[in-house]
Amino acid sequence: MLWLGIRCLDLPLAALAADPAPDYPLAVVERQRICACNAAAAAAGVAAAQPVASALALCPALDTLPRDPRREMTALAALGMACHNFTPRVALRPPAALLLEIGGSLKLFGGPDAIFAKLRAMLDLHHLPAALGAAGSPAAALLLTHADRDPLDYLDRHGGIRRQAFAELLDGLPLGALDCPQALRETLAQAGLRTLGALFELPGKTLGRRYGRDLLQYLQRIQGRRPDPQPPLVLPPEFRHTLEFGLGVEAAEMLLFPARRLLQELGGYLRARQLCCGSLHWRLTLEDGTVTELPLRLSHPRSDLQHLLELTRLGFAGLLLPAPVTALGLDCRDLHPPASPQPDLLVALGPAADVHTLQTLCDRLGARLGPEAIRRPLACDEHLPERAGILAPSGPAGHSEPTLPQAQRPLWLLESPQPLMVHDCQPCLAGNPLVLESGPERIEGDWWRTPASRDYYQARSSHGRRCWVYWDRRSGAWFLHGLFG
């Protein structure tokens, strides 16, 4: 088991700053002290834990924002949702950390080098600088985020821990990194203890008697000698997230970068819940307060990020924005379990028929032309053939389709049945008598409005054309209803 700790370094600032990299000095304030600041403020001498008055004296142009723990928790949960792309075991450690069990994912991603590279790319996409730490226990992984070392320095190429390098790094950590009350850390410092290694050398009974059982159990969890279960991140029943921008976005193409971030969070959400989405619903909040909605419907439920991003790009390409966009939101309520492969009519076309490619084409056409431009044939629960099929909007079926009849049906059904002439009690097509080859198949229906009672036959003309005809039992007339291929 290998746990990865992720500690977000500037979460208070990232949760509030709509612009990820403002060029003006900006800081977050809590209880009249600086909580976090950006690079421009740090260059002017502003630092964390500094009084606001001192910070303003150093940087009069400093812009301050009050800390918002609720938005920090929302940003941390969104990051945790995106982390489900790498592992199903994700736990939040407020106020600014996450834990991921990645031991079972190393082989899938090709080793620790590959998975760390993808994780760092995800953090860059969220504009969150973070420190990483890896260990066999969750508590040690979080502690090592304070070591200022790359986890690859003490992991081998298979994800195993190099014990000597790991032990030296863990023993050298300052006690200020411990997740315990500040008063306890000060007490330990007064006793002359400076590093975690010095604390490990003391007898356990002495530690428990002098500093409490909680510290002893915490050290045992760090060393992996005590169970440390982590409560998993609880996902909502539906996906809904919004990103706000500092400056209005005037071009729809510029929305693709934040859209990719939202889709990555959606991908982690879908993977964690083992679901697929049948549609995307984008919400663009304009500078004047109005909301432009862009629904994108899929022909079949999907969950792959690249396909969803391509549909979003095509949908955004057709947008005309009357005002700059100040917020971008994504809703996904149309969720479906992954469908097992089912027989399809298109498979009968031969091995060259790629159903997945055709579905992708339908999705792209729908995103470009609008969802109503793509239709698909759908069977209805009706007895009369002319009402047994409709052209429905492309998208996941909202109900189970009825069982199809066992009798053979023509490929071409006339829009309305055509009357046939009768000669010597035989129906005729274009003056030529038809030979009834099979039948009858009796179909009755619509007894509550216009009752119908028909006997259907497969017939063949003198020219060899196969037809689908019926005899109306109520009127005694013959009709042509379809042609076989």
Side-chain angles (χ1 to χ4, degrees), residues 7-96:
R7 182 169 58 90
C8 303
L9 303 180
D10 293 321
L11 185 61
L13 185 64
L16 290 174
D19 187 353
D23 55 359
Y24 56 90
L26 180 64
V28 179
V29 176
E30 183 181 31
R31 297 179 181 178
Q32 295 301 310
R33 287 188 176 273
I34 301 298
C35 179
C37 63
N38 67 349
V46 180
Q50 199 174 52
V52 176
S54 302
L56 290 173
L58 292 170
C59 182
L62 180 67
D63 190 7
T64 60
L65 296 171
R67 187 174 184 178
D68 190 342
R70 183 187 61 82
R71 292 185 64 172
E72 291 177 30
M73 193 63 191
T74 301
L76 191 64
L79 181 62
M81 204 174 294
C83 287
H84 278 104
N85 286 294
F86 304 96
T87 173
R89 301 183 65 181
V90 178
L92 300 188
R93 292 297 297 266

Side-chain angles (χ1 to χ4, degrees), residues 61 102 110-111 133 168 292 312 332 402:
I102 60 171
E168 292 175 355
T292 298
T312 300
C332 185

Side-chain angles (χ1 to χ4, degrees), residues 2-4 6 82-90 100-123 132 134 150-152 155-159 264 271:
L2 182 65
W3 287 90
L4 176 69
I6 301 177
C83 287
H84 278 104
N85 286 294
F86 304 96
T87 173
R89 301 183 65 181
V90 178
L100 284 67
E101 202 292 299
I102 60 171
S105 304
L106 292 176
K107 188 174 182 180
L108 174 65
F109 285 90
D113 290 345
I115 195 170
F116 285 148
K118 291 181 181 295
L119 277 165
R120 289 191 175 96
M122 179 201 67
L123 292 168
L132 305 181
D150 192 325
L152 295 175
L155 295 178
D156 60 30
R157 61 189 183 91
H158 300 295
Q264 188 179 61
R271 179 169 293 188

Side-chain angles (χ1 to χ4, degrees), residues 342-468:
Q342 297 291 335
D344 195 285
L345 172 65
L346 299 175
V347 177
L349 298 179
D354 189 343
V355 179
H356 185 78
T357 302
L358 292 175
Q359 293 172 359
T360 301
L361 175 62
C362 291
D363 289 343
R364 297 183 63 181
L365 289 174
R368 171 76 71 169
L369 305 175
E372 299 301 326
I374 307 298
R375 301 270 175 168
R376 65 188 182 102
L378 184 67
C380 299
D381 196 7
E382 292 280 353
H383 292 291
L384 297 183
E386 61 266 27
R387 295 178 184 168
I390 60 172
L391 289 177
S394 178
H399 60 279
S400 59
E401 297 189 7
T403 304
L404 298 179
Q406 297 297 321
Q408 194 175 11
R409 291 286 186 266
L411 182 63
W412 181 15
L413 196 69
L414 301 183
E415 187 173 353
S416 60
Q418 302 297 319
L420 295 174
M421 296 181 60
V422 179
H423 182 69
D424 292 338
C425 298
Q426 276 191 298
C428 299
L429 178 64
N432 298 314
L434 296 174
V435 178
L436 304 181
E437 294 186 333
S438 64
E441 176 193 356
R442 182 160 295 176
I443 297 178
E444 295 183 343
D446 284 5
W447 57 266
W448 61 94
R449 43 188 180 192
T450 305
S453 180
R454 305 171 181 174
D455 285 345
Y456 278 86
Y457 296 85
Q458 294 185 30
R460 187 180 298 273
S461 70
S462 59
H463 300 290
R465 173 172 290 182
R466 294 180 63 211
C467 310
W468 202 42

